[in-house]
Amino acid sequence: MFRRFLSAAATPFRAAATPAMSFPLKKPCKLALIQLATGNDKTANLKHAGEKVAEAASRGANVVVLPECFNSPYGTEYFPKYAEPIPGVTGAHPPESTPSYNTLSALASTHKIYLIGGSIPELDPRTQKLYNTSMTFSPSGALIATHRKVHLFDISIPGKIHFIESEVLSPGMTPTLVDLPEFGLIGIGICYDVRFPELAMLAARKGAFAMVYPGAFNMTTGPVHWELLGRGRAVDNQIYVALCSPARSAEAGYTAWGHSMVIDPYAEVVAVTDETEGIVEWVLTPERITEVRKGIPVTVQRRFDVYADISVVGPTEE
Ligand SMILES: NC(=O)CC(=O)C(=O)O
């Protein structure tokens, strides 16, 4: 199951096999990706995120996305210090212990937007485990989904980059599909999750119109893989893909690649920025999905007599 759904509108993962998905998106949806400049001061990061979310909302965004670890520097040494519990996921918590949740909820309700709050280091007080977790809020400020990064970023390229998230983080155990009732379903992944086609495939096969990945690629992998992976997930599934990075900072221990982008269902990069702070916007339309799927009808040409239907097999239980 997609067990991290929190909304009544949640769609069980083991729904009937995907129906024809001609209209996964119900109406045009303006998406804004905030390539946020962040630093070491959590309070300042939250305030600045608020300013940029307000800016995106004032330009008519329906769905606003923040980057991975938007409230914290990206590094295993920082996660324990910046981690917070998430109300509703691990019970009730005093407001002073959940500033990121409070800020995101208030921003979503003030601006009447869906807010995919990048990710934050999450502390589960029941187990003392830490996760890299994305929260999604509805326009009423309700938390409607959380996604704990399923694939932890454990890589070692000699002389280039060594990063082992699993030294301090635990992996999430479920894919995440969130229902935005006016628009449709969106799948959420975090950064390294984009390297695993299965999450996007599962979401698309369940009817998602987009995969959204808050992410922070780096100066080694970013130039070669960031766009390639995003376009791969888009062309495989004929869905929109959004990649939302922090802005690059010369002072940060981890140098983010930047280049937040929106990719359309034909795998074209339709909106992109450089490495500096900025907002990437695009209006996602049902017509574009329909046009692409009509022209290249892979969504109805699959051969489940030759290979398994992953969306019916589904993920293993936690
Ligand atoms: N930071 C990540 O999770 C992933 C990344 O940078 C990469 O896959 O490369």
Side-chain angles (χ1 to χ4, degrees), residues 59-273:
R59 293 212 293 261
N62 305 112
V63 178
V64 178
V65 184
L66 288 164
E68 183 176 25
C69 281
F70 80 94
N71 71 353
S72 151
Y74 187 57
T76 49
E77 68 274 38
Y78 300 107
F79 297 151
K81 178 171 167 226
Y82 286 74
E84 301 173 22
I86 297 180
V89 173
T90 57
H93 298 282
E96 62 275 15
S97 69
T98 60
S100 303
Y101 168 94
N102 303 341
T103 300
L104 295 174
S105 172
L107 286 170
S109 63
T110 301
H111 300 294
K112 304 277 177 288
I113 51 165
Y114 288 99
L115 181 55
I116 300 174
S119 77
I120 67 163
E122 177 203 354
L123 169 68
D124 186 331
R126 298 168 303 190
T127 59
Q128 294 301 307
K129 286 183 177 174
L130 299 173
Y131 298 90
N132 186 339
T133 304
S134 179
M135 297 180 265
T136 300
F137 293 85
S138 74
S140 70
L143 180 65
I144 54 171
T146 58
H147 176 75
R148 287 173 168 169
K149 189 173 188 174
V150 168
H151 304 93
L152 295 180
F153 180 44
D154 288 357
I155 71 166
S156 200
I157 304 176
K160 299 282 188 185
I161 179 168
H162 177 81
F163 201 108
I164 307 293
E165 264 188 330
S166 65
E167 283 172 352
V168 296
L169 299 183
S170 296
M173 299 300 286
T174 53
T176 302
L177 195 58
V178 55
D179 190 5
L180 320 184
E182 305 94 300
F183 299 106
L185 300 171
I186 285 186
I188 310 279
I190 299 175
C191 204
Y192 201 60
D193 283 337
V194 75
R195 290 187 181 272
F196 300 85
E198 289 85 351
L199 288 186
M201 185 167 27
L202 286 166
R205 299 289 307 289
K206 288 295 169 196
F209 64 89
M211 274 303 290
V212 172
Y213 296 96
F217 269 41
N218 51 79
M219 301 302 288
T220 299
T221 60
V224 191
H225 292 161
W226 173 252
E227 176 180 328
L228 175 71
L229 289 164
R231 293 183 67 195
R233 301 299 75 85
V235 78
D236 286 348
N237 300 297
Q238 299 181 321
I239 55 172
Y240 286 97
V241 171
L243 307 176
C244 184
S245 171
R248 194 176 302 164
S249 158
E251 288 92 59
Y254 180 93
T255 310
W257 170 238
H259 296 84
S260 297
M261 62 179 69
V262 179
I263 301 157
D264 84 357
Y266 196 63
E268 280 182 322
V269 177
V270 287
V272 61
T273 189

Side-chain angles (χ1 to χ4, degrees), residues 31-37 48-57 63-68 70 113 115-116 243-247 260 273 276-281:
L31 182 65
L33 312 179
I34 298 180
Q35 184 161 295
L36 192 72
H48 188 47
E51 291 158 0
K52 301 311 275 183
V53 169
E55 189 182 328
V63 178
V64 178
V65 184
L66 288 164
E68 183 176 25
F70 80 94
I113 51 165
L115 181 55
I116 300 174
L243 307 176
C244 184
S245 171
S260 297
T273 189
T276 58
E277 185 168 73
I279 301 180
V280 175
E281 298 166 311

